[in-house]
Amino acid sequence: MMIIPRDIGYWSFAFDAITDPNHQVVWWAYHSVHITNLNVPKTYVLDRSTYDAVGATAPPSQHTPAWYENEVTSSTTTTTSTTTDDGMPMTTSFTSSTVVDELNGTAQQHQSFGEPKPLIMDCQYEIKARECGFVLKWYFNRKLIYQWIPSRAPVGMNQFKNELQINYSMSDSVNYKYRALVIRNPKLNHSGEYMCSVQTYDSFDRRMARFQIVVPERMLLLHYENDGDSDNMLLIKCSVFMIYPEPNLLLIVSGNLFLVSSRTLVTADQNHMYNKTVYGKIDKHLLISPTSISCVLTVPDSGYIRKRETIYYDPTPLTKWSRLRMDERGRFQLLSTDGAG
């Protein structure tokens, strides 16, 4: 058995190499302090009502599209009606938004109105009994914000000095008790890179993770209409209002056809709340009625996803040949204009 010091990027420690008779390494045994798991949630979703209650501004009226003014909202479905060039109504149905609460094994966290939920980041590690001089540190964007030495009380530092719950105990063991970083009231400026560092007189180890605060949108809308420049083109618009940070919006037709945005509008207010609209165009001849149209909202560096979906129906009146249907005996029948046999 031999002791091999290692220095790989941010990880530096020593461990025992167990070898077979041919001197091939078959197992590594840690011989120093080392981090076994860094539990930092990928996304923390603030409650929309909680955020509004602390002074977030409402979206300016000029950012609300005219096609939304007459929209009727229910808990499950929203329906809007516009008018085509030939006077026929074009009905657009919106399904309720879907939030994906878990992506790639990382759960999102939420706050309840009036009861802010603290954000807990846990740094799990192992330390050998023989090692002395243990110190745990947390960094935010490479800046020291928390330090704990088992023989002393934990200390918050710099911009986090008054924002941490430093007496939060994760274990009864003297070497693991105050290892967690606990933020009492997560805010927008807490998004960033967090790093846990453990060290002794003999060794040290570090791990880092990216964390993103999200303020959910107030509205996510999807709409289509005839393009004013060409009767053969369909104009699709997807808009999101009052969200943080700036999201990505993707238009999808027929489940697998991704539209390249022909135009994008982005605004932000003094509270860093974003309004964003993307436009896409597609030739109606490429669509087989009915066709699904979707808008997928994602927030970079997080697991936050929302989706709006509607169905496109070709408003062109049915021709005589398009109303031919074959019955179960293989005979053709001419449907009436209302679709009945």
Side-chain angles (χ1 to χ4, degrees):
M1 184 176 65
M2 54 184 175
I3 305 299
I4 303 178
R6 302 287 289 177
D7 190 349
I8 309 174
Y10 289 106
W11 296 270
S12 181
F13 40 83
F15 46 80
D16 296 337
I18 310 300
T19 60
D20 61 14
N22 296 322
H23 301 286
Q24 297 296 315
V25 175
V26 294
W27 185 66
W28 298 101
Y30 284 103
H31 198 64
S32 62
V33 63
H34 62 280
I35 296 174
T36 58
N37 182 45
L38 182 62
N39 187 6
V40 175
K42 192 172 185 178
T43 307
Y44 188 104
V45 182
L46 294 178
D47 182 77
R48 177 80 250 180
S49 58
T50 301
Y51 188 80
D52 289 342
V54 296
T57 58
S61 58
Q62 64 266 28
H63 293 317
T64 304
W67 44 266
Y68 177 71
E69 292 177 355
N70 297 323
E71 187 165 3
V72 179
T73 305
S74 69
S75 60
T76 56
T77 304
T78 302
T79 303
T80 61
S81 295
T82 57
T83 304
T84 61
D85 293 340
D86 56 8
M88 296 182 62
M90 181 187 295
T91 301
T92 305
S93 176
F94 298 139
T95 59
S96 58
S97 296
T98 300
V99 181
V100 179
D101 286 326
E102 188 168 341
L103 186 65
N104 296 330
T106 304
Q108 299 179 16
Q109 299 188 19
H110 301 263
Q111 286 180 292
S112 299
F113 180 68
E115 299 179 358
K117 183 178 180 180
L119 172 63
I120 302 174
M121 301 184 183
D122 189 13
C123 184
Q124 300 172 15
Y125 50 86
E126 292 182 0
I127 181 173
K128 301 299 181 181
R130 66 168 184 81
E131 291 202 87
C132 300
F134 176 76
V135 181
L136 177 140
K137 298 178 182 179
W138 279 92
Y139 296 81
F140 175 67
N141 292 336
R142 308 294 179 119
K143 194 170 186 178
L144 182 63
I145 60 171
Y146 178 83
Q147 178 173 292
W148 173 55
I149 300 173
S151 60
R152 304 177 185 177
V155 179
M157 301 178 181
N158 296 311
Q159 70 266 43
F160 282 78
K161 182 177 181 179
N162 299 317
E163 300 189 21
L164 301 179
Q165 184 176 335
I166 59 175
N167 61 345
Y168 190 92
S169 176
M170 290 293 292
S171 172
D172 293 331
S173 175
V174 64
N175 284 330
Y176 302 94
K177 189 171 185 178
Y178 297 118
R179 67 177 189 249
L181 182 73
V182 182
I183 303 174
R184 290 196 301 263
N185 188 18
K187 301 181 180 67
L188 300 189
N189 59 359
H190 292 157
S191 296
E193 183 182 82
Y194 288 81
M195 181 172 69
C196 175
S197 168
V198 292
Q199 66 183 71
T200 65
Y201 291 147
D202 301 322
S203 59
F204 70 91
D205 193 10
R206 302 175 184 176
R207 287 195 189 180
M208 63 182 62
R210 179 76 187 178
F211 169 76
Q212 180 64 57
I213 290 281
V214 173
V215 178
E217 72 284 352
R218 185 171 292 174
M219 291 184 292
L220 176 61
L221 307 176
L222 176 61
H223 171 74
Y224 69 80
E225 62 187 39
N226 290 322
D227 182 33
D229 298 329
S230 174
D231 292 339
N232 294 328
M233 301 297 291
L234 190 71
L235 177 64
I236 303 172
K237 296 186 282 188
C238 182
S239 298
V240 62
F241 299 92
M242 304 299 290
I243 188 173
Y244 175 86
E246 180 182 346
N248 296 323
L249 295 176
L250 180 63
L251 296 174
I252 305 175
V253 177
S254 300
N256 56 10
L257 178 60
F258 298 89
L259 291 187
V260 177
S261 175
S262 60
R263 184 186 178 196
T264 301
L265 297 177
V266 182
T267 61
D269 65 12
Q270 65 271 25
N271 294 310
H272 308 289
M273 295 293 103
Y274 285 87
N275 301 327
K276 188 172 186 177
T277 299
V278 295
Y279 299 79
K281 294 183 181 182
I282 189 170
D283 194 321
K284 296 178 185 177
H285 296 102
L286 299 176
L287 304 177
I288 301 176
S289 180
T291 296
S292 66
I293 299 176
S294 303
C295 178
V296 178
L297 179 154
T298 58
V299 173
D301 299 320
S302 80
Y304 188 82
I305 302 175
R306 285 191 183 268
K307 181 179 180 181
R308 285 289 192 187
E309 185 174 17
T310 184
I311 303 297
Y312 166 76
Y313 294 96
D314 186 356
T316 305
L318 295 174
T319 65
K320 179 177 180 179
W321 295 109
S322 65
R323 290 189 281 119
L324 281 177
R325 294 294 183 270
M326 182 183 293
D327 64 16
E328 58 186 15
R329 296 184 179 181
R331 296 177 300 184
F332 285 98
Q333 292 182 340
L334 185 63
L335 300 181
S336 61
T337 56
D338 61 3

